[in-house]
Amino acid sequence: MTKKLVVLDYGSGNLRSAQRALERVGADVEVTADPGAAAAADGLVVPGVGAFEACMTGLRSIGGEKIIADRLQNGRPVLGVCVGMQILFARGIEFGVESVGCGQWPGSVTRLDAPVVPHMGWNVVDAPEGSTLFKGLDAATRFYFVHSYAAQEWAGRSEAMVTWATHHVPFIAAVEDGALSATQFHPEKSGDAGATLLANWVEGL
């Protein structure tokens, strides 16, 4: 049975590329800000590009925090992508300014302490054994990253599966925590590897 997904439209970019990538793996995808559609969908995808604070402003303008929280309270799957992952944490700190996030996970998103930022291009990840998202993908698989900020510590539930990557310093590349999953990289820009990851997520809905 075809899974119905909503890509949440709150003014952030990459909506259509996320839609196409999900359709490629067989899902029925709608791009909308409608809370009813977002609540009813089998899965909700929260994309995000740009600055943490700008994404949070856009998200609040459509009641996105409540949409996400209500789904998770009911055990309904949500997938955050790139800044859509970052805003799930409690705080984002950019240019010395602290912004409040959705608070689904404790901790802060901070600038990568690396000689070259943004971290842009292909990189491997270290996924935990038993991961659903990375099923069928080996340790040499590369994913496409574009970011200057990341969550660099995990203070959430110990049962969560946390995938790490390194760009001069270690950072969180993905999280699988019950109904809430997220990736710092862009699955929709990661070719066959990204398609496999999205297919794994859709299959589990």
Side-chain angles (χ1 to χ4, degrees):
M1 188 169 165
T2 302
K3 295 295 199 289
K4 291 189 177 297
L5 306 182
V6 160
V7 175
L8 192 62
D9 182 0
Y10 61 97
S12 183
N14 280 5
L15 300 174
R16 298 301 167 190
S17 57
Q19 179 183 22
R20 286 193 297 271
L22 290 158
E23 287 173 344
R24 177 184 170 190
V25 300
D28 176 3
V29 187
E30 180 183 5
V31 177
T32 181
D34 179 63
D42 295 314
L44 178 69
V45 179
V46 182
V49 293
F52 188 105
E53 176 61 31
C55 283
M56 281 306 303
T57 299
L59 195 67
R60 289 190 187 104
S61 73
I62 64 158
E65 284 177 293
K66 185 175 189 310
I67 291 170
I68 294 168
D70 287 351
R71 279 190 65 90
L72 294 173
Q73 195 167 7
N74 293 310
R76 308 275 285 158
V78 174
L79 175 67
V81 174
C82 196
V83 183
M85 167 176 167
Q86 295 178 6
I87 59 176
L88 296 168
F89 286 87
R91 292 174 302 280
I93 301 169
E94 293 183 346
F95 309 110
V97 177
E98 184 171 314
S99 304
V100 176
C102 291
Q104 293 296 334
W105 293 319
S108 300
V109 171
T110 54
R111 186 174 172 84
L112 292 170
D113 183 13
V116 177
V117 290
H119 170 220
M120 183 162 66
W122 298 85
N123 202 348
V124 295
V125 303
D126 183 14
E129 193 173 330
S131 163
T132 297
L133 287 182
F134 295 93
K135 186 176 65 176
L137 296 167
D138 65 34
T141 302
R142 291 179 177 270
F143 297 90
Y144 190 78
F145 291 84
V146 185
H147 64 116
S148 300
Y149 295 81
Q152 297 174 62
E153 295 178 0
W154 178 251
R157 297 190 321 138
S158 58
E159 309 94 277
M161 290 198 172
V162 180
T163 293
W164 293 84
T166 301
H167 177 65
H168 195 68
V169 291
F171 65 89
I172 297 173
V175 179
E176 298 161 74
D177 184 17
L180 184 56
S181 300
T183 66
Q184 176 60 66
F185 53 84
H186 287 276
E188 78 281 5
K189 294 181 179 178
S190 296
D192 291 343
T196 297
L197 181 140
L198 291 174
N200 286 341
W201 181 69
V202 170
E203 190 181 305
L205 298 176

